[in-house]
Amino acid sequence: MASVTSLAATVNQRVADALSAALPEAGAVDPLLRRSDRADFQANGMLALAKKLKGNPRELAAKVVDGIPAGESGAVIKEIEVSGPGFLNITLADEAIIKTLAERAADARLGVPYAEAPGTTVVDYAQPNVAKEMHVGHLRSAVIGAAMVEILEFTGEKVIRRHHIGDWGTQFGMLIQYLIEHPHELDHKSGADAEVSGEEAMSNLNRLYKASRVLFDSDEEFKERARRRVVDLQAGDEETRALWQRFVDESKIYFYSVFDKLDMEIHDPDVVGESGYNDMLEETCRLLEESGVAVRSEGALCVFFDDVKGPDGNPVPLIVKKSNGGYGYAATDLSAIRDRVQNLGAQTLLYVVDARQSLHFKMVFETARRAGWLNEKTHAVQLAFGTVLGKDGKPFKTREGETVRLVDLLDEAIERATTVVREKNNEKINLTPEEIVENGAQIGIGAVKYADLSTSAARDYKFDLDQMVSLNGDTSVYLQYAYARIQSIKRRAGESRPAAHPELELAPAERALGLHLDGFAEVVAEAAASYEPHRLAAYLYQLASHLTTFYDQCQVVSADNPAEVVENRLFLCDLTGRTLHQGMALLGIRTPERL
């Protein structure tokens, strides 16, 4: 189905055309249309235009009104009037609202168009480290990145996922050497049917890491053997690489168990860690040096920037290759850019990375631009995110001052949510024990995701589980409850079915809900273009709020209402439910049918 033109876009075009007709010398003009509490929309463009042309804004506004048909049968605009110094207050026809919503309802995509010129975007997100436990710091990259993947794909963009895991470095020499000398440290339970859990995998890795670190710090001979093992790893020694692969595979068992709990799909082909670019590092350095982008400084290969200086006023370079011949993170990141642009054909590289790495990525992107790997047609963007804070406003830690394990945080969220579901369950709702557990998981994980996504990514946010699982306020539970309420209304409707009735006069709450529903496509497009999923979260919260008002003021299923009123209100409920379901899915949040 073709995309549905929103009422706002239709009105904007009508006013723009009338403005151009009234003042042809002005050319194309923006009416500056916005929602208003005085009418459905208000256009303010006449003030700026009249000032520019030294005219009277009220006279200009009156000319515009004369050029727009209003109040006629089938017209979009019911009433338009000049207000104040030259504003236009515009009220839409009820018939136009319902007809437009009916077009949205007839489309599986709810009238959301595909982007006019979709491209290929690589999204770099969810970047845990091999042989290390995931902590609360890994949460935001995973949640924000997954939401952006869904939103971009929904608009028609080809999205390539990349999980740039930390799977390379000197610590692997220590781990591999210890495993060679203690070969059973990564062994699992025996038995053909024994399934390795994420917790077991992480327990083995933790135990091995701690033991190898103690030995590395206390035994000089072991330390030397571990350092030689790093050389073997980098040289591609077969035995060393095979043991390294065991660490990667063991870590993936753990990673995938955490991502599964987060209700996120991670696939093996999407996991391309630091090691994936190892064979490109030397060529990357050679290309940068030959082109003059990078220069030698005190034995290291560096890139300098006029605007990046240290406290002493001296330039702080991006070190691509160290003086000892080792490669820095920059070499890997620049090689990844080359691969993603030249081999994957990406036009956009989106990095969902902690704001504290902003300077590093600024220098990496500028270096890639100087080298010609990024240009006008291919660009890189850091979707920088802030820190997860505790209730005290400080970085989230355990009582002992340690970083919070991500799996513990998720388990607690699910436990809290399950308790809420169990307490709210009654004979009327009558959830089974299995449904209570399933809903608890969906609500708990949804609460964690929504708290993150409803905040601008650049801002820090407080992690407060009590608030997150509350039925009141801007929470995912409030939105999930709104969806479940709609399903309950539809079940109670009996033989009555949703049906649009454009001929009916709408109550104020029906109009407000309908006009907000009509804005879904524009919000999705804005969230995709600006990489701001919090815009979509805010829209969905407002939608649930409009539904609450509608529910309070407009009885849906009632023998006192004519059949067409019941059907029309069921239609509004149904479209609201579908919009909530689709919008929440784009944020990676489930919507239980019963709560």
Side-chain angles (χ1 to χ4, degrees):
M1 178 177 173
S3 61
V4 180
T5 302
S6 71
L7 290 162
T10 299
V11 172
N12 195 72
Q13 189 60 54
R14 298 275 171 90
V15 178
D17 291 345
L19 261 170
S20 296
L23 282 174
E25 67 274 20
V29 178
D30 184 356
L32 299 178
L33 191 75
R34 61 179 178 80
R35 290 298 308 277
S36 170
D37 55 4
R38 295 179 178 273
D40 293 331
F41 295 99
Q42 188 175 83
N44 301 334
M46 279 56 62
L47 276 72
L49 185 58
K51 183 177 181 181
K52 179 181 175 182
L53 300 176
K54 296 182 171 53
N56 184 307
R58 280 190 65 88
E59 291 178 4
L60 174 58
K63 287 183 180 179
V64 172
V65 170
D66 291 341
I68 298 178
E72 301 173 1
S73 177
V76 171
I77 297 174
K78 176 183 179 182
E79 185 180 351
I80 179 169
E81 63 175 9
V82 179
S83 172
F87 303 129
L88 291 181
N89 286 339
I90 303 165
T91 301
L92 304 189
D94 292 346
E95 179 183 1
I97 294 173
I98 297 300
K99 279 185 174 179
T100 303
L101 293 183
E103 290 179 23
R104 293 201 178 282
D107 180 20
R109 292 175 53 81
L110 302 174
V112 178
Y114 288 106
E116 290 184 8
T120 299
T121 296
V122 172
V123 182
D124 189 325
Y125 69 110
Q127 311 107 344
N129 294 308
V130 165
K132 290 185 179 178
E133 214 157 13
M134 292 178 69
H135 54 77
V136 67
H138 291 109
L139 178 64
R140 300 205 74 185
S141 178
V143 170
I144 297 169
M148 282 314 311
V149 166
E150 295 296 331
I151 291 169
L152 289 169
E153 284 189 332
F154 193 63
T155 64
E157 186 79 357
K158 178 185 176 182
V159 177
I160 300 173
R161 299 157 172 81
R162 278 295 176 265
H163 307 296
H164 191 85
I165 64 172
D167 64 352
W168 204 246
T170 55
Q171 78 271 21
F172 286 99
M174 176 184 80
L175 292 166
I176 293 167
Q177 187 61 36
Y178 188 87
L179 188 59
I180 287 173
E181 298 175 15
H182 303 80
H184 301 295
E185 284 296 308
L186 286 184
D187 290 352
H188 293 291
K189 301 170 187 171
S190 60
D193 297 328
E195 225 178 86
V196 182
S197 70
E199 281 293 305
E200 183 189 352
M202 195 65 244
S203 175
N204 286 343
L205 290 167
N206 267 340
R207 185 179 63 253
L208 192 147
Y209 186 88
K210 289 175 181 176
S212 63
R213 170 56 67 183
V214 168
L215 199 57
F216 186 86
D217 292 340
S218 62
D219 186 331
E220 285 299 321
E221 291 183 0
F222 174 78
K223 183 181 288 188
E224 183 55 36
R225 292 195 298 276
R227 286 172 172 164
R228 287 200 300 270
R229 189 60 58 182
V230 175
V231 177
D232 294 338
L233 177 63
Q234 293 174 339
D237 174 71
E238 208 168 297
E239 179 195 18
T240 306
R241 280 295 181 97
L243 291 171
W244 168 81
Q245 189 64 49
R246 281 195 70 186
F247 280 104
V248 174
D249 292 343
E250 194 82 4
S251 297
K252 282 183 178 179
I253 294 170
Y254 164 69
F255 294 158
Y256 292 176
S257 73
V258 178
F259 288 129
D260 185 60
K261 188 164 288 191
L262 257 176
D263 199 14
M264 281 175 52
E265 284 192 6
I266 301 288
H267 302 289
D268 258 5
D270 304 329
V271 180
V272 184
E274 295 169 3
S275 63
Y277 308 102
N278 195 54
D279 294 341
M280 298 177 67
L281 301 182
E282 187 54 44
E283 184 182 24
T284 295
C285 292
R286 179 180 61 78
L287 291 170
L288 290 172
E289 188 168 15
E290 288 178 356
S291 63
V293 173
V295 297
R296 294 283 172 179
S297 177
E298 298 180 13
L301 186 63
C302 304
V303 182
F304 289 90
F305 309 87
D306 293 336
D307 59 343
V308 182
K309 293 183 170 62
D312 56 3
N314 293 324
V316 175
L318 180 71
I319 299 174
V320 183
K321 193 172 186 178
K322 302 171 187 175
S323 57
N324 65 2
Y327 299 101
Y329 287 121
T332 303
D333 288 333
L334 288 162
S335 297
I337 288 176
R338 286 178 56 214
D339 175 65
R340 293 166 182 183
V341 172
Q342 296 166 5
N343 298 329
L344 300 181
Q347 289 87 45
T348 304
L349 308 179
L350 182 62
Y351 291 78
V352 188
V353 185
D354 194 313
R356 289 170 291 191
Q357 297 186 48
S358 293
L359 178 58
H360 168 77
F361 278 99
K362 176 186 175 183
M363 293 194 290
V364 165
F365 295 163
E366 174 58 20
T367 298
R369 190 193 63 77
R370 292 180 187 179
W373 305 328
L374 296 177
N375 49 46
E376 293 80 11
K377 295 181 179 179
T378 306
H379 66 290
V381 180
Q382 182 192 358
L383 201 176
F385 56 81
T387 304
V388 181
L389 306 176
K391 289 183 183 180
D392 58 1
K394 298 177 181 177
F396 201 17
K397 303 279 186 183
T398 65
R399 290 180 181 176
E400 294 74 31
E402 297 177 358
T403 303
V404 178
R405 295 196 327 154
L406 182 53
V407 71
D408 290 343
L409 182 150
L410 299 178
D411 283 342
E412 186 179 355
I414 292 171
E415 184 181 337
R416 295 273 195 99
T418 304
T419 299
V420 171
V421 174
R422 189 174 288 114
E423 289 174 351
K424 297 292 181 184
N425 194 28
N426 54 38
E427 291 181 4
K428 187 177 179 182
I429 303 172
N430 197 27
L431 296 175
T432 66
E434 292 77 16
E435 286 177 316
I436 290 172
V437 171
E438 183 180 7
N439 283 5
Q442 293 182 2
I443 291 169
I445 295 304
V448 171
K449 288 183 176 181
Y450 186 84
D452 190 321
L453 295 169
S454 60
T455 304
S456 170
R459 293 176 55 193
D460 299 340
Y461 82 97
K462 291 182 181 180
F463 195 92
D464 183 349
L465 273 177
D466 292 328
Q467 174 57 31
M468 288 179 186
V469 299
S470 171
L471 278 169
N472 302 312
D474 189 4
T475 67
S476 68
V477 191
Y478 178 65
L479 274 63
Q480 288 168 320
Y481 183 72
Y483 176 81
R485 171 184 273 175
I486 289 169
Q487 306 318 306
S488 174
I489 292 171
K490 288 163 62 178
R491 287 192 294 268
R492 287 191 283 109
E495 295 182 3
S496 298
R497 292 289 179 266
H501 286 276
E503 74 279 6
L504 293 177
E505 184 177 338
L506 298 177
E510 291 176 296
R511 291 178 57 82
L513 178 60
L515 286 168
H516 194 73
L517 281 167
D518 189 50
F520 181 58
E522 290 176 351
V523 168
V524 171
E526 289 169 1
S530 62
Y531 308 123
E532 292 180 313
H534 74 273
R535 288 176 178 263
L536 177 57
Y539 169 87
L540 295 173
Y541 172 62
Q542 291 163 1
L543 180 60
S545 299
H546 280 301
L547 176 73
T548 299
T549 303
F550 164 79
Y551 183 79
D552 290 342
Q553 297 181 7
C554 303
Q555 195 164 13
V556 180
V557 181
S558 171
D560 296 333
N561 287 336
E564 59 269 24
V565 171
V566 173
E567 290 172 350
N568 199 59
R569 289 178 176 176
L570 282 172
F571 163 74
L572 287 172
C573 285
D574 185 59
L575 184 56
T576 301
R578 289 174 59 195
T579 305
L580 281 169
H581 177 77
Q582 180 63 75
M584 295 285 269
L586 294 179
L587 298 179
I589 299 173
R590 305 269 181 179
T591 44
E593 294 289 309
R594 298 198 302 148
L595 276 180

